[in-house]
C-alpha cells in the first residue's frame, strides 16, 4: 500500500502539466484499487465541479460534465468535505444521472474531497459495476492519496494559470503574507539555487543561434573537465568507477541528447531550462524502468545533468542584466541573494517560502523593499521576465496586471510617497502624546545602509544592532580588528545616541555559510547565546571588539539573545567582565557598558524579574517570543496565519515583562517587529514600555500615531483589548478605535 502511494505521488509530481498529472492520477488509482472507474472533478472559477479526467467513464464527457456544489454525489462530497461510500449509488437521494458519462452501469461509488489549505479543490471518485462496498482500507487509501495530491494539484493548477496568462489570457493573482508593506511594479528576476534541476527559471531567448552555440560551448567544457578528471584518476579508480566516467562521456557525446536540447531552444527557451527539462525527462524514463540496474542509471543522469547545469548557470549569471524595477523572485530568498542585485534596481521581492518574520523579510523592511512572503503555490520558475505587481500591504502578487490594475497601484504608490513626505516634517519633533507622555523611538539596524535612513527619520538610538548581518555577508568569521571597525562605524554614526549591540545570534534560520549547523529542529536547538557560550573564543573576540570600538564614544549597550536561564546570563556577564579587564589592561579607556537581556523565550517571561535583577535593561524580542509562545515556526508559510502577534497570550506576556522589569527599576524596551506596527505601538506605550525599537521605515508612522493620541486614550484602549479573547477581535477593535480617532491614513491604504 505504502509503495503504491509513494509511486503514484512520485509519478504525479514529475508530470509536465495539470492534465498529464490528472491522467496519471486516474489511471494509477484505478489500477491500484482494482476498480473500474477513477475520475477527478476540479472546482472551476464559478465554483462548479468539472470532470477533468477519467479512466473508465466516457472520455468525451471530460470538460463537459459540471456540477454545482451540493449537486449530485460529487457536489455532496465537496460541500460536506468528507468521503461518501455507497454500495448502491443510484438509490441515494443526491444521485444524479449524466448520460454523457455512461455511468449508469456503475453501482458502487466512493468519493473523497481533495482539500488544500482548508479549501476544496475537487473530488476524487472511484466506481464499480458490481455491488462492491469499498472497504475501510480502500477509503483510507483514497483519503491519504487525496491529501498528498492536493498540494501537487494546487501547484499544477497555478502553473497552468501562469501559462494561460502568458498566452494573453488576463491577469493572475497569488496570495502570500506581507513581508514589507508598500507597492512595487516591475519585472521578475527569478533566482534559484545553483545546479538545482527542478528550479531552473524559464526564460525566453531571442538570439536562438547564439543560445545553441552557448549550450555547445558549455557541453564541450564539461566534456573536457570529465575527460581530464577521468585521466587523472585512472590509476586510482576501479573498473566500475572508470566505466561511470566513460558512460558520462558517452552521454555527452550522444547526439540525440544535444538534439533534444537544441529542439527546445529552437522553441525559444533558454539553454539551462531546456537542458533541465530534457534531463528530468530522461531521469523519469529511467526511474520508470523495471530493471533495477537501469533504474539506478537515473541517478547518473541526474548527476551529469547537474554538472552541465552548473556550468550553464555560472556562465549565464556573468551576463545577467537586472532591469530597472527588478522584482526578485525565489523559492527561498536569503540575505546573500539580495547582495547580487544593484541596490538602485531592486524594487520588490517575492519568496515562495518563509513568512513575515523570516530574516529576509526583516531585511526587506530595513531596506524598505515591498515584499510578499510564503506564496506557497507560486510557480516561480515560470515567472522570469514577467510583469508583476507586489502588493506588500496585503501580501498579494499580480502577474501580467491589466492597465486598470496598474494605474490603481500607481495611485497608491504616489499616495504613499506623499504620506512619507508629510511625515518627514516630524523628523525633529519628539515622540510625545497629546498629554505630554514622552516615549523613545529607536531603530533596528544591521546594514550600514540603515544608518543614514535611520538618522534621516529621526531615530533617537539603536535598540537592536544585529551583529550577525555583517557576519552573514562574509565568507569567514571577521577578526577582532575587522569587527572593531564595523562596530565603530555604527557607534560613531549615532553618537551620542545609545547603540544596543546584540552579541552574535546565529542558528535557527540564520546559518553562516562557513559555520554550518545541521539540526532537525534548529529553532529549538543550538542558537543565540547557546552557540557563543559554547565558543567563548568567538564571544570574547566580539565583546572585545565592541568595547574597543566604543572608546571615547561611550554609547555602547550590549544585549544577549535567547537567554533561557540565569546561569547563561551569569556566564555571559563573567565573559564580558573578562573581556573588559583585558581591554583595559591593554590600555584602552572604556566605560563599562550596560548589559541587557533579550526576553524572547517563554522561560524568560516567567523569570523576567530575576533576570532584571541581574541586568541593566530588558528588551523583548517579540518575533521569537511569539513563535515560542504559540509554537508556530516564524518561517513556515503553512502556519503563517497562526503566527498572531496580537494573540491575547502574547499581549499578556508583554505586559508581564514590563511590570517585572519596572519592579526591579530597569528600563524595558521591545525590539521585535511588533514595535513598528502603529496600532501595536499604542498598546505597548500604554503598557509602559520605555523604548520601542523598529525598522527606520516604520518609525515616522509610529511617531505620527503616538503624537495623535493621549496616554489616557491609549490606556483605555489597552484595557479594552486585554479583555478580548482572540487576536482577530483585538485587531479589529484596535483598527476601529484608531480609525474613529482619525488615524486612518496611517494604516494600509485602501488597496
Ligand atoms: C526577535 O526575536 O524579536 C528579535 C528582535 O530578534 P531576531 O528577529 O533577530 O531573532
Ligand atoms: Mg530573536
Amino acid at each position: 500500500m505504502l509503495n503504491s502511494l509513494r509511486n503514484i505521488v512520485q509519478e504525479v509530481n514529475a508530470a509536465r502539466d495539470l492534465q498529464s498529472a490528472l491522467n496519471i492520477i486516474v489511471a494509477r488509482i484505478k489500477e491500484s484499487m482494482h476498480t473500474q472507474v477513477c475520475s477527478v472533478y476540479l472546482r472551476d472559477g464559478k465554483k462548479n465541479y468539472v470532470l477533468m479526467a477519467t479512466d473508465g467513464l466516457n472520455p468525451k464527457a471530460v470538460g463537459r460534465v459540471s456540477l454545482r456544489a451540493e449537486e449530485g454525489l460529487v457536489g455532496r462530497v465537496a460541500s460536506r468535505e468528507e468521503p461518501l461510500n455507497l454500495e448502491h449509488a443510484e438509490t441515494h437521494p443526491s444521485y444524479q444521472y449524466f448520460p454523457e458519462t455512461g455511468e449508469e452501469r456503475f453501482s458502487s461509488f466512493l468519493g473523497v474531497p481533495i482539500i488544500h489549505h482548508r479549501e476544496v479543490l475537487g473530488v476524487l471518485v472511484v466506481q464499480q459495476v458490481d455491488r462492491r462496498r469499498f472497504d475501510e482500507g480502500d477509503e483510507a487509501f483514497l483519503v491519504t492519496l487525496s491529501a498528498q495530491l492536493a498540494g501537487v494539484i494546487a501547484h499544477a493548477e497555478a502553473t497552468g494559470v501562469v501559462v494561460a496568462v502568458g498566452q494573453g489570457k488576463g491577469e493572475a493573482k497569488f496570495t502570500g503574507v506581507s513581508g514589507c508593506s508598500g507597492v512595487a511594479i516591475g519585472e521578475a528576476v527569478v533566482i534559484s539555487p545553483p545546479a538545482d534541476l527542478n528550479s531552473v527559471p524559464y526564460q525566453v531567448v531571442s538570439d536562438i543561434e547564439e543560445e545553441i552555440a552557448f549550450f555547445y560551448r558549455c557541453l564541450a567544457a564539461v566534456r573536457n573537465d570529465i575527460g581530464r578528471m577521468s585521466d587523472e584518476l585512472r590509476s586510482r579508480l576501479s573498473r566500475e568507477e572508470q566505466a561511470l566516467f566513460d558512460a558520462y562521456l558517452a552521454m555527452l557525446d550522444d547526439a540525440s541528447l544535444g538534439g533534444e536540447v537544441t529542439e527546445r531552444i529552437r522553441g525559444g527557451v533558454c539553454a539551462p531550462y531546456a537542458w533541465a527539462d530534457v534531463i528530468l525527462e530522461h531521469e523519469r524514463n529511467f526511474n520508470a524502468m523495471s530493471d533495477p540496474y537501469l533504474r539506478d542509471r537515473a541517478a547518473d543522469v541526474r548527476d551529469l545533468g547537474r554538472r552541465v547545469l552548473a556550468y550553464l548557470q555560472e556562465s549565464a549569471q556573468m551576463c545577467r542584466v537586472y532591469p530597472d524595477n527588478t522584482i526578485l523572485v525565489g523559492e527561498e530568498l536569503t540575505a546573500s541573494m539580495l547582495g547580487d542585485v544593484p541596490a538602485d534596481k531592486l524594487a520588490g521581492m517575492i519568496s515562495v517560502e518563509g513568512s513575515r518574520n523570516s530574516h529576509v523579510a526583516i531585511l526587506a523592511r530595513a531596506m524598505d523593499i515591498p515584499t510578499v512572503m510564503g506564496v506557497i503555490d507560486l510557480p516561480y520558475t515560470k515567472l522570469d521576465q514577467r510583469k508583476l505587481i507586489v502588493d506588500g500591504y496585503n501580501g498579494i502578487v499580480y502577474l501580467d496586471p491589466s492597465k486598470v490594475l496598474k494605474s490603481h497601484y500607481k495611485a497608491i504608490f504616489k499616495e504613499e510617497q506623499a504620506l512619507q513626505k508629510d511625515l518627514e516634517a516630524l523628523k525633529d519633533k519628539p515622540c510625545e502624546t497629546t498629554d505630554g507622555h514622552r516615549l523613545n523611538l529607536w531603530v533596528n539596524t544591521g546594514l550600514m545602509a540603515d544608518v543614514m535612513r535611520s538618522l534621516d527619520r529621526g531615530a533617537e538610538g539603536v535598540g537592536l544592532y544585529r551583529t550577525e548581518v555583517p557576519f552573514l555577508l562574509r565568507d569567514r568569521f571577521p577578526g577582532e580588528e575587522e569587527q572593531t571597525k564595523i562596530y565603530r562605524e555604527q557607534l560613531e554614526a549615532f553618537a551620542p545616541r545609545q547603540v544596543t549591540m546584540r552579541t552574535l545570534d546565529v542558528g535557527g534560520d540564520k546559518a553562516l555559510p562557513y559555520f554550518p549547523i545541521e539540526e532537525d529542529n534548529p529553532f529549538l536547538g543550538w542558537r543565540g547565546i547557546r552557540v557563543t557560550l559554547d565558543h567563548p573564543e568567538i564571544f570574547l573576540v566580539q565583546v572585545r571588539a565592541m568595547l574597543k570600538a566604543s572608546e571615547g564614544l561611550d554609547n555602547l549597550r550590549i544585549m544577549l539573545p535567547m537567554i533561557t536561564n540565569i546561569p547563561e546570563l551569569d556566564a555571559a556577564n563573567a565573559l564580558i567582565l573578562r573581556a573588559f579587564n583585558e581591554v583595559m589592561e591593554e590600555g584602552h579607556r572604556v566605560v563599562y557598558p550596560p548589559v541587557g537581556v533579550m526576553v524572547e523565550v517563554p522561560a524568560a517571561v516567567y523569570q523576567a524579574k530575576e533576570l532584571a535583577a541581574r541586568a541593566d535593561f530588558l528588551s523583548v524580542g517579540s518575533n521569537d517570543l511569539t513563535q515560542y509562545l504559540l509554537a508556530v515556526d516564524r518561517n513556515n508559510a503553512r502556519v503563517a496565519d497562526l503566527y498572531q502577534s496580537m494573540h491575547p497570550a502574547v499581549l499578556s506576556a508583554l505586559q508581564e515583562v514590563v511590570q517585572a522589569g519596572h519592579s526591579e527599576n530597569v528600563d524595558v524596551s521591545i525590539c521585535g517587529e511588533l514595535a513598528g506596527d502603529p496600532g501595536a505601538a499604542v498598546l505597548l506605550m500604554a503598557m509602559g514600555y520605555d523604548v520601542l525599537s523598529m525598522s527606520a521605515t516604520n518609525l515616522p508612522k509610529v511617531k505620527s500615531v503616538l503624537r495623535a493620541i493621549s496616554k489616557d486614550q491609549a490606556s483605555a484602549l489597552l484595557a479594552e483589548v486585554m479583555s478580548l479573547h482572540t487576536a482577530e477581535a483585538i485587531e479589529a477593535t484596535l483598527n476601529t478605535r484608531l480609525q474613529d480617532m482619525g488615524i486612518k491614513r496611517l494604516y494600509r491604504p485602501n488597496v
Side-chain angles (χ1 to χ4, degrees):
M1 179 86 100
L2 192 58
N3 261 350
S4 341
L5 264 173
R6 201 179 294 136
N7 288 344
I8 296 176
V9 174
Q10 236 174 30
E11 225 184 302
V12 174
N13 250 322
R16 278 172 160 272
D17 52 35
L18 179 62
Q19 195 55 52
S20 351
L22 299 178
N23 292 343
I24 295 170
I25 290 173
V26 291
R28 292 288 168 270
I29 293 181
K30 182 180 159 211
E31 188 181 72
S32 324
M33 292 184 71
H34 306 291
T35 181
Q36 289 159 324
V37 178
C38 179
S39 317
V40 186
Y41 297 79
L42 291 187
R43 199 175 68 168
D44 66 8
K46 296 185 196 118
K47 305 214 163 121
N48 290 331
Y49 292 87
V50 182
L51 177 66
M52 294 293 290
T54 183
D55 189 337
L57 297 183
N58 183 354
K60 291 205 178 107
V62 169
R64 289 171 48 199
V65 169
S66 160
L67 300 101
R68 289 189 311 277
E70 295 283 359
E71 193 186 3
L73 298 176
V74 166
R76 188 175 166 89
V77 172
S79 63
R80 294 175 66 94
E81 303 185 2
E82 60 181 9
L84 183 63
N85 189 350
L86 301 171
E87 207 172 331
H88 314 286
E90 66 279 13
T91 60
H92 192 281
S94 295
Y95 180 79
Q96 201 168 341
Y97 171 58
F98 289 92
E100 52 273 58
T101 63
E103 90 182 301
E104 73 274 25
R105 294 184 290 123
F106 302 102
S107 192
S108 315
F109 173 100
L110 169 61
V112 302
I114 306 168
I115 302 183
H116 181 61
H117 290 295
R118 296 192 188 180
E119 226 182 284
V120 180
L121 299 183
V123 177
L124 251 180
V125 175
V126 287
Q127 288 169 288
Q128 178 101 3
V129 175
D130 319 327
R131 299 243 157 103
R132 163 179 173 183
R133 168 113 190 131
F134 289 103
D135 65 19
E136 225 184 315
D138 294 326
E139 199 174 312
F141 177 79
L142 208 57
V143 167
T144 316
L145 202 55
S146 164
Q148 289 208 40
L149 293 176
V152 186
I153 292 176
H155 190 78
E157 272 192 335
T159 310
V161 168
V162 170
V163 173
V165 170
Q167 291 157 357
K169 298 190 184 147
E171 68 200 13
K173 174 180 169 181
F174 299 91
T175 307
V177 291
S178 163
C180 173
S181 54
V183 169
I185 304 172
E187 186 179 317
V189 171
V190 177
I191 35 180
S192 57
D196 179 353
L197 290 161
N198 293 312
S199 65
V200 181
Y202 178 97
Q203 285 167 345
V204 179
V205 285
S206 45
D207 191 341
I208 290 189
E209 292 314 322
E210 169 48 31
E211 193 71 4
I212 292 175
F214 165 67
F215 166 63
Y216 278 109
R217 277 199 304 276
C218 290
L219 214 56
V222 177
R223 193 183 289 117
N224 271 344
D225 280 0
I226 294 179
R228 208 177 42 243
M229 241 181 337
S230 157
D231 288 345
E232 279 169 15
L233 296 174
R234 191 167 296 276
S235 57
R236 282 180 274 154
L237 291 180
S238 68
R239 273 193 33 215
E240 275 150 32
E241 286 160 337
Q242 188 60 49
L244 182 62
F245 280 113
D246 294 341
Y248 278 7
L249 287 171
M251 275 192 255
L252 288 176
D253 286 335
D254 182 353
S256 69
L257 194 66
E260 286 172 56
V261 177
T262 41
E263 191 186 311
R264 281 166 173 74
I265 299 177
R266 289 210 184 281
V269 286
C270 63
Y273 188 89
W275 171 256
D277 202 34
V278 168
I279 290 295
L280 288 174
E281 190 168 308
H282 280 267
E283 191 192 355
R284 273 196 298 274
N285 292 342
F286 275 113
N287 266 329
M289 289 179 181
S290 49
D291 178 341
Y293 173 80
L294 288 176
R295 238 189 356 253
D296 285 350
R297 300 286 64 78
D300 298 339
V301 170
R302 190 170 184 83
D303 182 44
L304 180 70
R306 293 183 52 170
R307 280 169 194 273
V308 176
L309 181 61
Y311 230 100
L312 289 164
Q313 287 181 320
E314 210 174 290
S315 317
Q317 178 65 21
M318 284 188 243
C319 41
R320 171 113 232 185
V321 182
Y322 290 95
D324 294 339
N325 294 324
T326 289
I327 295 182
L328 209 55
V329 184
E331 184 174 22
E332 185 158 23
L333 292 182
T334 61
S336 52
M337 287 173 177
L338 305 192
D340 292 340
V341 192
D344 57 333
K345 304 229 160 165
L346 185 58
M349 298 200 287
I350 302 167
S351 183
V352 174
E353 303 274 338
S355 76
R356 178 169 178 80
N357 293 285
S358 306
H359 282 94
V360 72
I362 291 175
L363 272 184
R365 291 197 284 280
M367 301 190 317
D368 205 3
I369 308 287
T371 297
V372 177
M373 304 288 297
V375 202
I376 304 177
D377 293 320
L378 186 76
Y380 67 98
T381 57
K382 299 277 192 305
L383 295 187
D384 206 72
Q385 300 165 333
R386 306 284 291 266
K387 296 277 178 279
L388 296 174
I389 290 179
V390 176
D391 171 355
Y393 296 106
N394 295 300
I396 296 174
V397 174
Y398 292 95
L399 168 64
D400 287 358
S402 63
K403 261 193 182 154
V404 178
L405 195 71
K406 252 201 267 180
S407 64
H408 174 66
Y409 273 99
K410 274 188 188 152
I412 291 165
F413 184 76
K414 279 202 187 128
E415 191 188 314
E416 183 71 354
Q417 293 213 315
L419 175 62
Q420 291 295 355
K421 260 214 129 27
D422 291 353
L423 292 176
E424 273 169 26
L426 291 178
K427 177 181 170 235
D428 298 315
K429 301 232 164 81
C431 177
E432 197 170 276
T433 57
T434 52
D435 50 355
H437 176 77
R438 180 85 169 78
L439 192 69
N440 296 301
L441 296 191
W442 292 13
V443 280
N444 297 344
T445 60
L447 302 165
M448 220 25 226
D450 297 332
V451 174
M452 281 325 293
R453 292 186 51 241
S454 303
L455 292 169
D456 275 353
R457 291 175 180 213
E460 296 168 296
V462 176
L464 167 63
Y465 169 55
R466 289 186 166 93
T467 58
E468 60 275 8
V469 175
F471 278 67
L472 281 166
L473 302 177
R474 286 178 165 63
D475 55 9
R476 55 169 175 76
F477 283 114
E480 186 169 319
E481 247 177 70
E482 215 174 332
Q483 288 188 51
T484 309
K485 219 167 137 250
I486 299 168
Y487 304 152
R488 181 85 187 171
E489 278 179 358
Q490 284 276 328
L491 292 164
E492 245 169 6
F494 284 93
R497 303 170 188 84
Q498 303 272 293
V499 176
T500 312
M501 299 204 157
R502 175 171 72 183
T503 60
L504 189 64
D505 183 22
V506 290
D509 67 336
K510 286 180 280 193
L512 298 175
Y514 46 89
F515 189 64
I517 303 173
E518 299 278 339
E519 291 177 318
D520 283 347
N521 252 325
F523 276 115
L524 298 183
W526 204 46
R527 63 171 301 213
I529 199 74
R530 301 169 186 180
V531 176
T532 46
L533 286 181
D534 285 352
H535 278 283
E537 78 284 14
I538 297 174
F539 189 81
L540 284 167
V541 165
Q542 182 173 43
V543 173
R544 285 166 50 88
M546 288 177 181
L547 292 169
K548 284 197 207 166
S550 74
E551 191 171 0
L553 298 171
D554 308 335
N555 58 343
L556 168 70
R557 309 197 319 160
I558 294 181
M559 185 160 79
L560 306 167
M562 283 291 292
I563 294 282
T564 315
N565 55 50
I566 303 285
E568 283 173 345
L569 174 57
D570 290 345
N573 270 330
L575 287 172
I576 294 172
L577 179 61
R578 186 174 135 192
F580 177 78
N581 288 336
E582 286 170 6
V583 167
M584 293 297 272
E585 272 164 29
E586 286 169 22
H588 298 279
R589 297 276 58 91
V590 173
V591 171
Y592 202 91
V595 177
V597 169
M598 283 194 81
V599 177
E600 48 184 353
V601 294
V605 174
Y606 290 106
Q607 282 206 296
K609 189 170 162 61
E610 292 76 7
L611 291 167
R614 289 168 165 79
D616 298 307
F617 62 92
L618 297 182
S619 183
V620 177
S622 55
N623 305 336
D624 277 315
L625 185 58
T626 306
Q627 113 163 312
Y628 293 127
L629 273 177
L630 304 183
V632 177
D633 178 347
R634 63 194 268 183
N635 274 325
N636 187 340
R638 243 180 227 114
V639 286
D641 55 340
L642 293 176
Y643 187 99
Q644 297 178 318
S645 309
M646 298 222 199
H647 190 291
V650 175
L651 295 186
S652 298
L654 292 172
Q655 201 162 30
E656 257 184 58
V657 175
V658 178
Q659 286 161 0
H662 286 173
S663 72
E664 290 294 330
N665 292 320
V666 302
D667 274 4
V668 184
S669 46
I670 172 163
C671 58
E673 294 302 306
L674 190 64
D677 175 314
V682 170
L683 303 180
L684 295 166
M685 180 205 26
M687 287 182 192
Y689 276 84
D690 303 289
V691 176
L692 307 185
S693 189
M694 63 202 73
S695 66
T697 313
N698 292 338
L699 193 141
K701 278 192 188 177
V702 168
K703 191 192 273 189
S704 155
V705 169
L706 295 178
R707 282 175 59 85
I709 194 169
S710 74
K711 177 93 191 288
D712 283 348
Q713 281 174 309
S715 302
L717 192 47
L718 177 65
E720 184 179 359
V721 300
M722 290 307 268
S723 70
L724 301 172
H725 297 166
T726 65
E728 290 80 3
I730 292 175
E731 280 182 41
T733 305
L734 196 56
N735 285 346
T736 317
R737 296 287 174 270
L738 291 177
Q739 293 205 9
D740 291 348
M741 290 176 206
I743 307 183
K744 182 167 178 244
R745 184 167 175 237
L746 294 156
Y747 274 100
R748 66 183 60 147
N750 274 335
V751 191

